[in-house]
Amino acid sequence: MKIIVEGCGVKKQLVNGEAPFDSVLPEYGKRKLLMYADSFRDLANTFTDMQKEEEDEQALVDDRQEFLWKRRLVENRDLMADHLNEMAQIMTQVAEEAYKPVHISDRKIKQLAHALKEEDVLLKDICMLEKEDGRKELNIVMRALKGTAPGVDEVGNLLSVLLNCRLMPAKNCSIFVGKEWDSYQYMDEPKFHVLTGVAKAVKETESVSGDNYAFVEEKEGSLTAILSDGMGSGEKACKDSEFVVDLIEKFLEAGFCKETAVQMINGSLIAVGEAQNMSTLDLCQIDLYTGVCEFIKIGSAPSYIKREHLVDQISARNLPLGVFYEMDMETTRRRLVDGDYIIMLSDGITDALAQGIGEDILPEVIGKAALKNPGEMANYILNFCLHQSKGRIRDDMTVMVTGIWENC
């Protein structure tokens, strides 16, 4: 049996009720994007070939200043090649992103239209798509009746009940349904949700902290916690760490993977040279659909995962950003469960413990903490460390706590 499914400009032939996965883009657009990706890869290869020639010439240089200059040129070209290759990869992923339409019966659409009208919303068109990873997206064209302003969240709750799936508004959705016809997007609700908390203390001789942090939702179902500690203290250290955090945010939101983003920032710091101080980086990215988290640690203090009274320490012994072009970067992966906490610290915390009974006691302290609220747990850890250092704050101190729970 063959069925034709139409909606949102989609017309797919279903065989036995199933549609094949197909590209999100029309064939012409897909070919054009892949062509651009190939062009970027060719440019990257050109820079790589130039790099090899420069390295051969570099071996023949005797003058130290000229050697350092040529070495910097080689590193910058290598960085440019990496950027171009990553752009090509992003274009390829967009071009090859695939979906299949999910059939919604006429009876169900009429039921949706009736239920939405009772909530002061008029339905014009609806289309549900399923990605290759099994996650669904719902695109709906609707508008509010005059004199009303229904919430997009409330509409999502109604759609979830009627379609028997848990939906949430997409990141770029407006808060209310507007008076004009417009398209609204809903996504599968992630399995987990998070709460975060932060506690900070500024070095006693400074007015600003050299630590900077951020929690970034670069896409639906993903949260990235970022902590950077600028070398030294004060305004200069603050600007350095702020530069790192700000760039990481922008790269992730632009679609770059975290490993490439870190490499590109390191290259930027190398290119600046001595005018730029080094900074540490502690990054944890959580997939809220699967519960898998991945750490990248560059010169940072250990991080911890608390599961009831058990504590898992994640450490890396490498140098901060901006020291060497070739970094020792590893990705550590863990799977989280309901009720887990991720604790990330700046070096000031471990330095404070070193003045007391030592940082080896920290996992035990975290394990014994019976607090549920991430903010309270962050304050508890900070206050414990301040007590160990007898109230002295010899370095900037930051504690970030992220708690994860299953959605009911």
Side-chain angles (χ1 to χ4, degrees):
M1 179 178 67
K2 294 183 179 180
I3 306 171
I4 301 298
V5 178
E6 298 184 38
C8 296
V10 176
K11 185 180 287 186
K12 285 289 170 189
Q13 192 173 67
L14 306 188
V15 180
N16 296 325
E18 288 294 329
F21 284 100
D22 200 1
S23 172
V24 172
L25 294 173
E27 189 60 32
Y28 172 75
K30 178 181 177 180
R31 288 200 307 268
K32 193 166 185 179
L33 202 55
L34 288 173
M35 181 183 69
Y36 286 141
D38 288 338
S39 297
F40 274 96
R41 288 192 183 94
D42 289 341
L43 281 170
N45 291 334
T46 300
F47 276 100
T48 301
D49 293 339
M50 292 172 64
Q51 174 198 358
K52 290 177 181 176
E53 293 176 7
E54 288 289 347
E55 286 176 343
D56 291 339
E57 293 178 11
Q58 192 178 348
L60 303 174
V61 174
D62 294 326
D63 182 70
R64 175 173 172 77
Q65 282 299 114
E66 187 177 355
F67 173 84
L68 293 175
W69 180 83
K70 285 187 176 293
R71 181 61 187 169
R72 178 64 55 81
L73 184 62
V74 168
E75 290 174 346
N76 288 344
R77 284 175 176 168
D78 192 27
L79 180 65
M80 181 61 72
D82 290 342
H83 292 185
L84 293 169
N85 274 320
E86 183 63 20
M87 288 298 298
Q89 182 63 25
I90 292 173
M91 290 180 181
T92 302
Q93 289 174 354
V94 172
E96 295 179 348
E97 187 176 9
Y99 72 94
K100 68 179 179 183
V102 177
H103 178 60
I104 303 176
S105 67
D106 291 340
R107 181 180 179 183
K108 178 61 73 175
I109 291 175
K110 289 179 181 178
Q111 183 185 8
L112 288 169
H114 179 73
L116 288 171
K117 192 171 183 179
E118 290 186 344
E119 300 297 325
D120 301 320
V121 175
L122 297 180
L123 172 65
K124 185 176 183 180
D125 198 4
I126 187 168
C127 173
M128 182 174 280
L129 305 174
E130 181 181 345
K131 293 184 176 182
E132 289 181 294
D133 58 11
R135 298 175 192 170
K136 294 182 178 64
E137 292 184 7
L138 182 74
N139 293 280
I140 179 169
V141 179
M142 57 185 176
R143 71 173 178 86
L145 293 174
K146 291 183 179 180
T148 65
V152 171
D153 278 323
E154 286 72 22
V155 172
N157 293 336
L158 178 61
L159 292 170
S160 297
V161 172
L162 295 174
L163 294 172
N164 195 29
C165 58
R166 304 185 63 149
L167 298 170
M168 58 177 282
K171 183 182 174 184
N172 57 353
C173 247
S174 56
I175 299 175
F176 300 102
V177 180
K179 302 298 185 293
E180 304 295 330
W181 292 112
D182 203 353
S183 180
Y184 298 83
Q185 188 179 40
Y186 291 87
M187 321 286 293
D188 264 342
E189 184 181 69
K191 180 181 179 180
F192 297 95
H193 70 277
V194 298
L195 291 176
T196 61
V198 179
K200 298 185 68 174
V202 180
K203 184 178 178 180
E204 55 195 24
T205 57
E206 301 289 351
S207 58
V208 296
S209 173
D211 300 341
N212 271 284
Y213 69 92
F215 294 99
V216 183
E217 295 181 62
E218 69 272 15
K219 59 183 178 180
E220 285 80 6
S222 178
L223 177 78
T224 303
I226 307 163
L227 174 61
S228 179
D229 179 1
M231 293 295 100
S233 59
E235 291 187 6
K236 184 68 171 71
C238 179
K239 288 180 180 178
D240 291 339
S241 61
E242 184 180 32
F243 173 81
V244 170
V245 172
D246 187 51
L247 275 187
I248 283 282
E249 285 189 71
K250 287 182 168 60
F251 280 130
L252 293 178
E253 290 172 350
F256 289 86
C257 73
K258 56 187 177 301
E259 290 84 0
T260 302
V262 173
Q263 183 64 60
M264 292 168 75
I265 292 171
N266 183 65
S268 300
L269 294 175
I270 291 290
V272 171
E274 295 179 1
Q276 187 77 36
N277 279 343
M278 300 174 292
S279 297
T280 68
L281 175 65
D282 201 355
L283 182 150
C284 178
Q285 191 172 68
I286 308 171
D287 185 330
L288 298 179
Y289 286 100
T290 64
V292 171
C293 69
E294 295 182 335
F295 291 87
I296 293 180
K297 305 181 71 62
I298 310 293
S300 60
S303 296
Y304 302 89
I305 296 177
K306 172 179 166 62
R307 181 170 300 169
E308 295 182 350
H309 298 299
L310 301 177
V311 177
D312 181 14
Q313 179 173 310
I314 293 95
S315 303
R317 296 186 178 278
N318 50 19
L319 294 171
L321 295 167
V323 180
F324 297 114
Y325 181 76
E326 295 293 335
M327 287 190 305
D328 179 16
M329 179 170 59
E330 294 182 5
T331 301
T332 303
R333 176 178 293 195
R334 295 288 189 272
R335 185 174 292 276
L336 305 173
V337 300
D338 180 65
D340 281 357
Y341 294 87
I342 297 170
I343 297 99
M344 299 163 64
L345 316 165
S346 66
D347 290 337
I349 294 293
T350 53
D351 291 345
L353 289 173
Q355 300 160 28
I357 54 180
E359 63 182 270
D360 293 340
I361 195 65
L362 190 54
E364 182 180 341
V365 172
I366 293 173
K368 288 181 178 178
L371 301 165
K372 299 296 182 183
N373 183 281
E376 292 177 357
M377 188 178 294
N379 278 306
Y380 171 78
I381 295 170
L382 178 63
N383 288 330
F384 176 84
C385 296
L386 287 173
H387 178 74
Q388 292 301 307
S389 64
K390 296 180 173 54
R392 299 294 305 275
I393 308 174
R394 294 180 173 85
D395 193 8
D396 301 312
M397 305 165 73
T398 303
V399 183
M400 298 173 66
V401 179
T402 304
I404 183 168
W405 293 271
E406 287 191 24
N407 289 314
C408 299

